[in-house]
Structures are given as structure tokens and as C-alpha cells.
Amino acid sequence: MRPLDQLRSLKAKLSAVIVAAVAVTVTVVAVGHDAGFPWIPVVLTAGLLSLGMIQLLARGMTSPVKEMADAARAMAKGDYGRRVTATSRDEVGELARSFNKMASELAAVDRMRRDFLANVSHELRTPIGALQAVLENLVDGVESLDPKALDTMLSQVKRLGRLVEQLLDLSRLESGAIPFHPVDFPIKPVLEQAVRESELHSRGELKEVELSCSIRPENLMLKGDPERMHQVVANIVENAVRHSPDGGRVDVSARAESDVVTIEVLDEGPGIPENEEARVFERFYRVDAARSSSDGGTGLGLAIAKGIVDLHGGDMRVEQRSPGCRMVVTLPGATS
Ligand SMILES: Nc1ncnc2c1ncn2[C@@H]1O[C@H](COP(=O)(O)OP(=O)(O)OP(=O)(O)O)[C@@H](O)[C@H]1O
Ligand SMILES: [Mg+2]
């Protein structure tokens, strides 16, 4: 704690310092004069004592500014761990507190950037490694160029292509450069197409999942970008099918209440634990990382879907149900 930390403004602090210095000077001069000392030593002593008083009272008044300059230099070199003393209640203290807050936010952004880079590298390495292994086997003659080898290579190239596409979408969403063409479009074909695609996908995985699709009213229209909305619904339905047990049901529905459209996708899988409901919308977040990545999921789908729903001015959330998961998307702009 510094002597004048309790004063709320720099002006008040400066006034207090000046008043104290003047008071010391006047007292020393008066006392010295009354005691009959010569003028010169009295004035010199008064000057020295008031300087000492200024040093004592003004201690720490400007030191946070210097600390901030040092910390800013450290930040420029990538050290976001430095904080400045922010005990005073004046403008400098306020600046120091804002500086500390900014430093913590920058540290968090830097951590996210590092995590993102590590995740991207990891996700790229897996398919590239698999491709390299097959190609090496082919070159060494260990394996022949049969349909199985070609199929492995194709699926890894598809995985790479999908990852690059997702990263591009994320970067476009963040920079606001994503192609977004809002029009009035019927929801039914969009939902039905997503359901058909997932049906094919589940058959490819040799999994029996019963999909249903209901829209009330049938001719429900929405203002938005149909291609982007298809991307959102396709990801949610794909997730639902992927997490469904064999023989499970996935119900996709859309309904309108005044001008809000609610799209719901229900499945009978393991569901998303309550404490992870918000985290599944983070980039690269997977509840069961080991299982999801072996299934081909990168954990980007819901982050992109949420970005697109935000772009439409809507909201997306997970709701608990037992058993399974209920994914709810609400969007403004219903017309019929
Ligand atoms: N219907 C669901 N049931 C259970 N868990 C789910 C469901 N939907 C999503 N999740 C969990 O949320 C995580 C994030 O989903 P997201 O769609 O973002 O990624 P992904 O499906 O793993 O990969 P991607 O969509 O990028 O291919 C999933 O890995 C999974 O753990
Ligand atoms: Mg997904």
C-alpha cells in the first residue's frame, strides 16, 4: 500500500503533495526564524525537508506507468505473464487494472492460438501419415495397387479435403467473409436432403438408424442462406446418426412460433453431459476425443454450425433428454 492510494484522483494526490510540501516549508521557516537561526540554513533545511516529504507522499504515484511500459515491451516479445501493481484508486490505478485485464485476455487469445495450431497440425498429421504409409507400401512392393489400398488413400484424401474445407469456413466466419446470401426459402427440402445424406452415410457404416422428418406447417419458409442452413442441419443430423446406437431413432423436426423457427434433432445415443453442453461448440472440442477421432470427427462441425446460426441472428443449444441428445436451433425470420 502506498501513502496516497486511497485518494481517487491524480489531481487530489498532486494537491495533497503540494499542500504538504508548502506546510513543511512554512513550518520549518517559521520555527527557524523564531529560534533565531540565520536565513540561509533555515531555507535550505526547509527545502530539503519538503523535498523529502514529496518523495515520501508521491512514492508509487507514477511507478505503474513505468511498470506498464516494461510489461508492454515484454508482451511484444511474447511474454503475456507480466502484471502491474494496481493498488491505487486514481486514474493511473484504473489504467493499470485495464492493462492487467487486457494482458489476461491477450494471454488467453495466445493460448487459444497455440492450441488451434497444435490441433490443426495434429489433425493434418493423421491422414497424411496414413497416406504416406500406404504409398510407401506401394513403392516398396509390400502392397499392390488393389481397390483396398486405393480406397484407404481416397478416404484419407477426403478427410484432408474436409478438414481444409472446415478450416476455410471457420476462417471465413471469423473474418466475416463467408458467402451469405439470405433469401426466403422452404425449410422442408433442406431438412429432407440432410436426412437423406445421413441415411446414406449410416448405411455406408452398416448401421441401422431410423430417421424421421416433420415440418409444421409443411410449407414453412425461412429467411436465410439455404446452403449454409443445410450445412448446419447436415452436421447436427450427422452427429445424431453417428452417436445413435444400432437400431436407434433420429427425429428431425421444424416448427414456427410467431416469426421464430425452431429446428430440433433428437437421438437416442449417449447424449452430451450437462457440464459439456457449451464446450461442444468450441473448435476441436470432442466429448470423447479418442472415439470421435477414430470415427473421423474433428470437432469443428458444431463450431461452424454455431457461427452460421449466429450469422442468421439465431441461437443453438443442447438440451438434456434421456436417453440421448436434443439439439435445438432457433432462428428468426419465419414466413409461410
Ligand atoms: N448427438 C450427439 N450425441 C452425443 N455427442 C455429441 C452429439 N453431437 C455432438 N456430440 C459431441 O460433440 C462433439 C463435437 O461435435 P462436432 O460436430 O463439432 O464435431 P465432430 O462431429 O466430432 O467432428 P466434425 O463434425 O468436425 O466432423 C462430438 O465430438 C461429440 O463428442
Ligand atoms: Mg459433427
Short mmCIF file of all heavy atoms in Angstrom, two decimals, residues 1-25:
data_model
loop_
_atom_site.label_atom_id
_atom_site.label_comp_id
_atom_site.label_asym_id
_atom_site.label_seq_id
_atom_site.Cartn_x
_atom_site.Cartn_y
_atom_site.Cartn_z
N MET A 1 0.86 -1.21 0.00
CA MET A 1 0.00 0.00 0.00
C MET A 1 0.89 1.26 0.00
O MET A 1 1.85 1.35 0.76
CB MET A 1 -0.88 -0.06 1.25
CG MET A 1 -2.10 0.79 1.18
SD MET A 1 -3.29 0.15 -0.02
CE MET A 1 -4.68 1.17 0.39
N ARG A 2 0.53 2.20 -0.88
CA ARG A 2 1.30 3.44 -0.93
C ARG A 2 0.55 4.54 -0.17
O ARG A 2 -0.67 4.46 -0.04
CB ARG A 2 1.53 3.84 -2.38
CG ARG A 2 2.46 2.88 -3.07
CD ARG A 2 2.06 2.74 -4.51
NE ARG A 2 2.97 1.87 -5.22
CZ ARG A 2 2.72 1.41 -6.44
NH1 ARG A 2 1.61 1.73 -7.04
NH2 ARG A 2 3.58 0.64 -7.04
N PRO A 3 1.29 5.63 0.30
CA PRO A 3 0.67 6.62 1.20
C PRO A 3 -0.64 7.22 0.69
O PRO A 3 -1.58 7.40 1.45
CB PRO A 3 1.74 7.69 1.35
CG PRO A 3 3.00 7.09 0.87
CD PRO A 3 2.68 5.94 0.01
N LEU A 4 -0.71 7.59 -0.62
CA LEU A 4 -1.91 8.30 -1.09
C LEU A 4 -2.85 7.40 -1.91
O LEU A 4 -3.70 7.90 -2.64
CB LEU A 4 -1.50 9.52 -1.93
CG LEU A 4 -0.71 10.59 -1.17
CD1 LEU A 4 -0.33 11.72 -2.10
CD2 LEU A 4 -1.51 11.17 0.00
N ASP A 5 -2.71 6.07 -1.76
CA ASP A 5 -3.50 5.13 -2.57
C ASP A 5 -5.01 5.33 -2.42
O ASP A 5 -5.77 5.02 -3.32
CB ASP A 5 -3.14 3.68 -2.21
CG ASP A 5 -2.01 3.18 -3.10
OD1 ASP A 5 -1.55 3.97 -3.95
OD2 ASP A 5 -1.59 2.03 -2.93
N GLN A 6 -5.43 5.86 -1.25
CA GLN A 6 -6.87 5.97 -1.01
C GLN A 6 -7.51 7.12 -1.78
O GLN A 6 -8.72 7.13 -1.99
CB GLN A 6 -7.14 6.15 0.49
CG GLN A 6 -6.92 4.89 1.31
CD GLN A 6 -7.63 3.69 0.71
OE1 GLN A 6 -8.82 3.75 0.41
NE2 GLN A 6 -6.90 2.60 0.50
N LEU A 7 -6.69 8.11 -2.22
CA LEU A 7 -7.28 9.25 -2.95
C LEU A 7 -7.67 8.81 -4.35
O LEU A 7 -6.95 8.09 -5.01
CB LEU A 7 -6.28 10.41 -3.00
CG LEU A 7 -5.98 11.07 -1.65
CD1 LEU A 7 -5.07 12.27 -1.84
CD2 LEU A 7 -7.28 11.53 -0.97
N ARG A 8 -8.86 9.31 -4.80
CA ARG A 8 -9.44 8.75 -6.03
C ARG A 8 -8.98 9.44 -7.31
O ARG A 8 -9.32 8.97 -8.39
CB ARG A 8 -10.96 8.83 -5.95
CG ARG A 8 -11.51 7.79 -5.02
CD ARG A 8 -13.00 7.90 -4.92
NE ARG A 8 -13.51 6.73 -4.24
CZ ARG A 8 -13.87 5.62 -4.84
NH1 ARG A 8 -13.77 5.53 -6.14
NH2 ARG A 8 -14.33 4.60 -4.15
N SER A 9 -8.29 10.63 -7.18
CA SER A 9 -7.86 11.24 -8.44
C SER A 9 -6.43 11.73 -8.34
O SER A 9 -5.93 12.05 -7.26
CB SER A 9 -8.80 12.37 -8.85
OG SER A 9 -8.34 13.58 -8.32
N LEU A 10 -5.81 11.79 -9.50
CA LEU A 10 -4.41 12.22 -9.58
C LEU A 10 -4.29 13.68 -9.14
O LEU A 10 -3.34 14.08 -8.48
CB LEU A 10 -3.97 12.06 -11.05
CG LEU A 10 -2.49 11.80 -11.30
CD1 LEU A 10 -2.01 10.61 -10.53
CD2 LEU A 10 -2.26 11.60 -12.79
N LYS A 11 -5.36 14.47 -9.49
CA LYS A 11 -5.36 15.89 -9.15
C LYS A 11 -5.35 16.05 -7.63
O LYS A 11 -4.59 16.85 -7.07
CB LYS A 11 -6.64 16.53 -9.73
CG LYS A 11 -6.34 17.76 -10.58
CD LYS A 11 -7.58 18.53 -10.84
CE LYS A 11 -8.31 18.03 -12.05
NZ LYS A 11 -9.55 18.71 -12.32
N ALA A 12 -6.17 15.24 -6.92
CA ALA A 12 -6.25 15.31 -5.46
C ALA A 12 -4.90 14.93 -4.86
O ALA A 12 -4.43 15.54 -3.88
CB ALA A 12 -7.34 14.40 -4.95
N LYS A 13 -4.25 13.94 -5.45
CA LYS A 13 -2.96 13.50 -4.93
C LYS A 13 -1.92 14.60 -5.07
O LYS A 13 -1.17 14.90 -4.13
CB LYS A 13 -2.48 12.27 -5.69
CG LYS A 13 -3.13 10.98 -5.24
CD LYS A 13 -2.50 9.82 -5.94
CE LYS A 13 -3.11 8.52 -5.47
NZ LYS A 13 -2.55 7.37 -6.13
N LEU A 14 -1.90 15.23 -6.27
CA LEU A 14 -0.93 16.31 -6.50
C LEU A 14 -1.19 17.46 -5.54
O LEU A 14 -0.26 18.03 -4.96
CB LEU A 14 -1.03 16.80 -7.95
CG LEU A 14 -0.42 15.86 -9.00
CD1 LEU A 14 -0.69 16.35 -10.40
CD2 LEU A 14 1.09 15.72 -8.77
N SER A 15 -2.49 17.78 -5.32
CA SER A 15 -2.82 18.86 -4.39
C SER A 15 -2.31 18.52 -3.00
O SER A 15 -1.71 19.36 -2.31
CB SER A 15 -4.34 19.08 -4.33
OG SER A 15 -4.84 19.19 -5.61
N ALA A 16 -2.53 17.26 -2.57
CA ALA A 16 -2.09 16.84 -1.23
C ALA A 16 -0.58 16.96 -1.10
O ALA A 16 -0.07 17.44 -0.07
CB ALA A 16 -2.54 15.40 -0.97
N VAL A 17 0.15 16.59 -2.14
CA VAL A 17 1.62 16.66 -2.10
C VAL A 17 2.08 18.11 -1.99
O VAL A 17 2.94 18.46 -1.17
CB VAL A 17 2.22 15.99 -3.36
CG1 VAL A 17 3.71 16.26 -3.46
CG2 VAL A 17 1.95 14.49 -3.34
N ILE A 18 1.43 18.98 -2.82
CA ILE A 18 1.83 20.40 -2.81
C ILE A 18 1.54 21.03 -1.45
O ILE A 18 2.38 21.70 -0.84
CB ILE A 18 1.12 21.18 -3.95
CG1 ILE A 18 1.67 20.70 -5.30
CG2 ILE A 18 1.32 22.69 -3.80
CD1 ILE A 18 0.87 21.14 -6.50
N VAL A 19 0.33 20.77 -0.92
CA VAL A 19 -0.06 21.35 0.38
C VAL A 19 0.91 20.88 1.47
O VAL A 19 1.41 21.68 2.28
CB VAL A 19 -1.53 20.97 0.73
CG1 VAL A 19 -1.84 21.29 2.18
CG2 VAL A 19 -2.50 21.70 -0.19
N ALA A 20 1.25 19.59 1.47
CA ALA A 20 2.15 19.06 2.50
C ALA A 20 3.54 19.70 2.38
O ALA A 20 4.15 20.09 3.40
CB ALA A 20 2.24 17.54 2.35
N ALA A 21 4.02 19.87 1.13
CA ALA A 21 5.36 20.44 0.94
C ALA A 21 5.40 21.89 1.40
O ALA A 21 6.34 22.33 2.09
CB ALA A 21 5.74 20.33 -0.54
N VAL A 22 4.32 22.62 1.03
CA VAL A 22 4.27 24.04 1.43
C VAL A 22 4.19 24.14 2.96
O VAL A 22 4.87 24.95 3.60
CB VAL A 22 3.07 24.75 0.74
CG1 VAL A 22 2.84 26.13 1.35
CG2 VAL A 22 3.32 24.86 -0.76
N ALA A 23 3.36 23.28 3.58
CA ALA A 23 3.19 23.30 5.03
C ALA A 23 4.52 23.03 5.73
O ALA A 23 4.89 23.73 6.69
CB ALA A 23 2.15 22.26 5.44
N VAL A 24 5.28 22.05 5.23
CA VAL A 24 6.58 21.73 5.83
C VAL A 24 7.52 22.93 5.72
O VAL A 24 8.17 23.34 6.69
CB VAL A 24 7.19 20.47 5.16
CG1 VAL A 24 8.67 20.32 5.52
CG2 VAL A 24 6.44 19.22 5.59
N THR A 25 7.54 23.53 4.50
CA THR A 25 8.44 24.66 4.28
C THR A 25 8.10 25.81 5.24
O THR A 25 8.97 26.35 5.93
CB THR A 25 8.31 25.15 2.80
OG1 THR A 25 8.36 24.02 1.95
CG2 THR A 25 9.41 26.13 2.44
#
